[in-house]
Each structure stands twice: as structure tokens, then as C-alpha cells.
Amino acid sequence: LSYLESRFLDDAGETLTVAATGIAGRLDVLMAERQGDIQLLARSRAVQSGDVTAMSQYLDWMVTAYPVYQELSVLDLQGQVIAGTNHASIGRDYQAAPWFQQGRQAQTVYQGEVWLLGGGDSRGIGVMFASPIVAARGDVTGVVVGQIALPVLEDLFMPIVLSLQSHWGTSAHLEYLCLDPDGQLITDSQLREEGQVNLKERGVRSARLFNTAPAGFVEEVHQRRGVVVITGYAQAKGLEAHEALRWGVLVRIDRDDV
């Protein structure tokens, strides 16, 4: 009986590891595609023209064609929004924002850390990309910014999670989490504590392992729920040498449901 139990738990751990690795791979593809989008957008005829009306029309088309974006904006060298899909943001000044400073100076796309988008009721977790607009003569004339909101990230998880749910049954308690390299929660499917909890600081073993060991699984106590879970973990590769997007993915199931 003990052997069978151990075998079931090992099989579950391996399945969860494959799931976490698959989600991490999807994250890498999504981010690589968005990096390419922003680079092309910065080089597009509409943005290069300096015509605010043409820019706005092109950005509106981009958001319609690529609904992964919550917002697209063009800022001038002073950090002021001159065109964008969120018309309420026109005229806002972001000169002091670190992402604007880095985006303006970088020779390639600035792959932003997770940040809080918008304000008021629209505030939420998201990811930013910023690229300098470089004119034909080589000087930077502004910055293009793209924002991806949390629901887009969660869409990547769902096909894999639904497959796990069909494997273990709808009554099984499954959850998925995405962490930044420091352990801060980006996606939290059950408790919805994004941006509020750091799992590394809380000593969660899988959170400490995802970027210090190869993909794998561990049996641990779910500290926030007080139950034993099996957690598969993996790390996204990120883009180039940029560490910000090398996120951790955790996929969990309650031990009693295995």
C-alpha cells in the first residue's frame, strides 16, 4: 500500500512538473512575440511619421488585431503621451518613470517588470514593454509602450489546467501560480493575492527551488491554506539576458486529491 501511494504521488508530481514546464514555455513564446510587436511598431510608418492622428489610428488597429494588449501608447522625448488607445492618458507626463527612462535609452526593447496598470478601479497586475522610436538619422524621437494585463497571462494557463482537471476530476483542488524572480505573486488562481504576497520570503520551498534547481516537484505545506500539496515547478527562460521575465510557475494539487 505504501509503495502504491508513493507511486501515485510521484506520478502526480511528474505530471505537475510537465504542466509547469509547458506553461513556462508558453510564457516565453508570448513575451518573445510581444517584444517583436513593439519593435515593429516603433519602426512602423505611422509611428515614424510623427503624425499624431496616424499614430492613434494605427495603435487602435493594433489593439483590435492583437487583443493581448490592454493599452498601446506613444510618448515624446519629454515623457508625455501624445497618442494612445487609452484616450484619457493623452497628455500625461511619465518623464520620471523608470520604464520611460530605460525605454528611451535602451538600444533594444525594455522588457518591463510586473507593474500596476492604470489607476482607481482599473488598477491591476500587468507587464510592460517599451521600445525607443529611432528615426532614420539614428536619433531617438520617442518611446512606444505596450501593456499586457493579467487575464492574458492567465489564458496561457487554462488549457493545461483544464487538462489536469479532466485527469483528476472536477472535485480536485488544483491551483496555479506565477512568481517574479524574487518570489512575488503575479498570478494566484485561488486566493487572488497578486502583488500582496512574497512566497520566497514566507519560506515556501517550491518558490525557492524554481530558479535554483531544474524543473521538478516537491511535497510541501500550503502555508496560506494549511494543507499538504504536491507542487510542480519550472522557470521561464525570459528574453535575452533580461532577468525580469524569468518567472517561476507553480502548479499544485492537494495531496489528498491524488
Side-chain angles (χ1 to χ4, degrees):
L1 183 61
S2 177
Y3 169 79
L4 288 176
E5 180 179 282
S6 177
R7 186 64 260 171
F8 278 133
L9 294 176
D10 285 347
D11 287 346
E14 291 168 4
T15 299
L16 294 169
T17 301
V18 170
T21 302
I23 292 170
R26 290 184 178 212
L27 281 171
D28 284 330
V29 171
L30 174 73
M31 297 309 173
E33 290 175 345
R34 302 296 72 80
Q35 176 178 251
D37 288 349
I38 294 300
Q39 288 176 318
L40 289 173
L41 185 55
R43 291 169 171 78
S44 67
R45 181 176 298 179
V47 171
Q48 289 282 333
S49 71
D51 184 325
V52 172
T53 300
M55 289 183 196
S56 296
Q57 291 175 346
Y58 193 71
L59 296 178
D60 285 339
W61 172 81
M62 279 284 292
V63 167
T64 302
Y66 300 95
V68 295
Y69 291 106
Q70 176 167 305
E71 291 182 25
L72 288 169
S73 307
V74 175
L75 289 72
D76 63 18
L77 276 179
Q78 286 68 52
Q80 188 173 71
V81 179
I82 59 173
T85 55
N86 177 8
H87 298 165
S89 70
I90 304 299
R92 288 181 184 169
D93 187 349
Y94 293 101
Q95 185 174 20
W99 54 263
F100 172 74
Q101 294 294 330
Q102 294 184 50
R104 182 176 65 176
Q105 297 170 13
Q107 296 302 309
T108 58
V109 174
Y110 166 66
Q111 302 133 19
E113 294 278 5
V114 175
W115 71 308
L116 292 173
L117 303 172
D121 293 337
S122 66
R123 202 168 176 81
I125 293 289
V127 186
M128 172 185 290
F129 289 82
S131 177
I133 302 168
V134 182
R137 57 186 179 275
D139 55 324
V140 176
T141 60
V143 174
V144 175
V145 179
Q147 300 171 1
I148 305 171
L150 177 62
V152 172
L153 302 180
E154 295 202 277
D155 285 347
L156 297 175
F157 291 67
M158 291 315 299
I160 293 176
V161 172
L162 290 174
S163 175
L164 295 177
Q165 202 80 63
S166 67
H167 176 70
W168 277 300
T170 55
S171 63
H173 192 285
L174 280 159
E175 69 174 47
Y176 54 87
L177 306 99
C178 191
L179 321 174
D180 73 11
D182 296 323
Q184 191 75 20
L185 274 174
I186 300 168
T187 301
D188 182 8
S189 67
Q190 292 294 328
L191 301 181
R192 310 312 311 187
E193 293 181 332
E194 292 93 347
Q196 303 174 46
V197 175
N198 187 304
L199 295 187
K200 282 191 175 184
E201 291 179 356
R202 293 197 176 192
V204 175
R205 190 177 173 196
S206 55
R208 292 184 170 182
L209 286 170
F210 80 80
N211 58 354
T212 60
F217 66 92
V218 64
E219 183 175 323
E220 59 188 351
V221 175
H222 192 305
Q223 291 195 347
R224 295 177 293 158
R225 292 177 53 232
V227 299
V228 178
V229 295
I230 309 298
T231 305
Y233 56 86
Q235 183 179 26
K237 296 177 181 178
L239 297 172
E240 299 169 353
H242 194 70
E243 292 292 323
L245 299 177
R246 300 195 68 196
W247 299 341
V249 176
L250 311 182
V251 184
R252 290 171 157 174
I253 187 170
D254 287 5
R255 188 183 191 276
D256 289 345
D257 288 332
V258 174

